[in-house]
Amino acid sequence: MLPRTAHGDNGIIESFEVIPVYCVVEQGQHCQGEFSFQWQLHTESDICIFRRAQEYPLYCGSSPLRGEITLAIDVPIDHEFVMVASGNHAVAKVQLLELGVDVRRTRRHLWSVF
């Protein structure tokens, strides 16, 4: 799995990633587990990580130029996380893939026998 990297809007946040990017669950279930948030800044800053459209942060702290934190969280649907640093923001996404829905259909290769 390769992480998707979000880039900030004005240069304080160089990159922001969430790993894993994909979470495979049984149909109708939530993704529960540990997610690693990694970032790189151009200057040291206070940062906060939020779930999209939620008022309270998952994490806030003072950050050096590079940082990482692992949090155990529940992701009910495809989800976006937002990192805010000194008024700037970057977005990283987690996509849920449900078992029972044929996730291979769009990724099938011509040589695939399944």
Side-chain angles (χ1 to χ4, degrees):
M1 278 187 239
L2 296 174
R4 292 181 189 153
T5 303
H7 297 281
D9 57 0
N10 83 350
I12 290 176
I13 301 171
E14 186 174 321
S15 65
F16 174 52
E17 304 173 54
V18 60
I19 302 169
V21 173
Y22 297 104
C23 185
V24 179
V25 296
E26 298 225 9
Q27 197 167 13
Q29 298 296 313
H30 292 198
C31 179
Q32 296 177 334
E34 292 189 349
F35 289 83
S36 177
F37 298 89
Q38 301 172 356
W39 60 88
Q40 187 165 345
L41 308 174
H42 285 292
T43 59
E44 292 183 11
S45 178
D46 292 334
I47 61 111
C48 286
I49 299 172
F50 294 85
R51 289 179 187 251
R52 173 69 86 188
Q54 285 195 343
E55 184 178 342
Y56 299 102
L58 293 170
Y59 170 81
C60 280
S62 183
S63 175
L65 297 180
R66 289 179 184 233
E68 178 178 356
I69 187 165
T70 300
L71 302 172
I73 55 177
D74 178 23
V75 179
I77 57 173
D78 289 359
H79 210 72
E80 291 184 344
F81 295 94
V82 180
M83 180 176 170
V84 178
S86 301
N88 311 96
H89 71 279
V91 176
K93 297 180 181 182
V94 172
Q95 182 177 357
L96 294 184
L97 301 176
E98 292 183 322
L99 294 175
V101 176
D102 192 356
V103 295
R104 294 176 299 165
R105 186 174 296 140
T106 59
R107 294 190 175 98
R108 182 176 285 179
H109 299 287
L110 292 175
W111 50 264
S112 176
V113 294
F114 295 106

